[in-house]
Amino acid sequence: MIKGEDNNMLERPVVKIAPDTYLVSEYKLVNMFLVVGKHRAALIDTGGGIGPLPEDIERLTGLPLVVIATHGDPDHVGGAGHFPHVYLPLDWEHSRRFPLNNTMRKWFVKTRAPVRNPGNERKIDALVPRQELPQPEYLPLADGDVFDLGGRRLEVIHTPGHSPGSICLLDKENRLLFTGDTVNVSMALTGHDFHEYNASLRRLWARESEFDSICIGHELPAMREKQAIARYISMTDRLMSGEAAAVCAPDAIRVGKVFRENGLEIWCDCEA
């Protein structure tokens, strides 16, 4: 928390979205999730490293914590330095174009906060750490890995598209799929490869009987209907066939080519 000039406290939005499952929002810029089992808990993604993340997690659970990143972009691993060990997909080479430092964090606040949390830009910027966070030990993740939390398990599903190493995490016991940036309201793809992303979506949809809802990496509400996966399959089918095309239409966050349909959008060749 931070006391702003108006003497109000800017609090991290935390919402219980399912039994023993919490949205831990990085001030509406990025969605993180805390999944609590009987023996340990899992933090899915670490945000950009803005604000007192460990303290906020400790208020929710005192169980041993495993930290899992869905991919290596700095708005999802920027807070990794708060923890000694973080499981990270093989994304690092893709993500090195964005440094994990306070300059990046301030840029992220400057470009995202006016859109995602307007009116609180200065308060969020003031939560950027004064000192750089340390580098944690990164532990490898592989497709099919399972994290047993006690009474619930998280299965790693490799879903390249947004980034080469992107993963989703399936919680079959609670019928939830944590998608990171593989399924959002607005999707940004690496390059122009709709085929790879389409294959990942089809892999997820082949298992749709195992989950009811998806928990997405950006935008609120964070829990959405799983049918977004099927809609993105249809959109990428049409992009690959030439029936539809992405066009240049920059918005307040992205510059690139976009295809929009029914409240969803796919960006390709994005600068950021």
Side-chain angles (χ1 to χ4, degrees):
M1 299 180 182
I2 185 169
K3 182 174 288 188
E5 293 178 355
D6 59 357
N7 293 324
N8 291 324
M9 300 297 284
L10 182 62
E11 298 185 17
R12 184 188 304 280
V14 176
V15 179
K16 188 175 184 178
I17 59 174
D20 297 315
T21 308
Y22 300 87
L23 161 69
V24 182
S25 172
E26 190 168 61
Y27 311 101
K28 301 183 181 181
L29 305 184
V30 185
N31 298 335
M32 300 170 278
F33 298 94
L34 181 68
V35 178
V36 182
K38 294 180 180 178
H39 306 309
R40 60 177 180 166
L43 176 64
I44 301 173
D45 286 330
T46 66
I50 301 167
L53 182 58
E55 295 89 337
D56 289 340
I57 297 301
E58 288 170 3
R59 293 187 184 98
L60 297 171
T61 182
L63 289 174
L65 188 68
V66 57
V67 183
I68 309 167
T70 60
H71 60 295
D73 282 349
D75 54 332
H76 292 260
V77 297
H82 286 301
F83 308 97
H85 311 289
V86 176
Y87 286 89
L88 177 69
L90 298 176
D91 250 339
W92 200 240
E93 291 299 329
H94 161 73
S95 301
R96 280 182 178 171
R97 55 188 173 143
F98 298 113
L100 291 179
N101 58 29
N102 286 337
T103 299
M104 179 282 297
R105 294 180 182 102
K106 285 184 171 292
W107 171 84
F108 189 71
V109 172
K110 181 179 179 180
T111 58
R112 269 52 176 177
V115 177
R116 294 175 178 164
N117 198 346
N120 284 311
E121 297 92 335
R122 294 181 65 185
K123 291 183 180 180
I124 299 172
D125 182 78
L127 283 164
V128 172
R130 295 187 179 183
Q131 295 182 339
E132 298 292 351
L133 295 179
Q135 285 293 322
E137 178 185 3
Y138 290 115
L139 304 176
L141 275 178
D143 183 57
D145 284 352
V146 174
F147 294 89
D148 189 344
L149 306 179
R152 67 194 304 184
R153 307 193 313 161
L154 296 175
E155 178 188 345
V156 175
I157 305 174
H158 183 213
T159 52
H162 172 72
S163 72
S166 285
I167 64 162
C168 294
L169 291 161
L170 176 61
D171 176 3
K172 289 193 287 188
E173 285 81 8
N174 289 272
R175 301 188 61 79
L176 298 173
L177 180 71
F178 298 90
T179 63
D181 280 357
T182 295
V183 185
N184 282 318
V185 176
S186 177
M187 285 304 310
L189 305 185
T190 52
H192 210 123
D193 190 350
F194 302 122
H195 293 80
E196 183 177 56
Y197 183 52
N198 182 274
S200 292
L201 294 168
R202 289 183 177 278
R203 188 175 188 208
L204 293 176
W205 197 242
R207 302 186 63 175
E208 61 87 18
S209 64
E210 300 176 68
F211 58 92
D212 295 325
S213 302
I214 60 175
C215 301
I216 63 177
H218 293 278
E219 310 298 340
L220 299 174
M223 182 180 285
R224 302 282 177 136
E225 294 182 352
K226 63 183 179 182
Q227 283 72 20
I229 299 172
R231 296 189 187 106
Y232 274 127
I233 291 173
S234 175
M235 291 171 69
T236 49
D237 281 345
R238 294 170 61 197
L239 286 165
M240 289 187 297
S241 70
E243 181 182 345
V247 298
C248 291
D251 67 9
I253 289 179
R254 295 192 175 99
V255 175
K257 295 180 180 179
V258 62
F259 171 48
R260 296 186 174 101
E261 186 175 77
N262 296 325
L264 301 178
E265 57 185 32
I266 298 176
W267 288 84
C268 58
D269 301 326
C270 289
E271 293 184 6

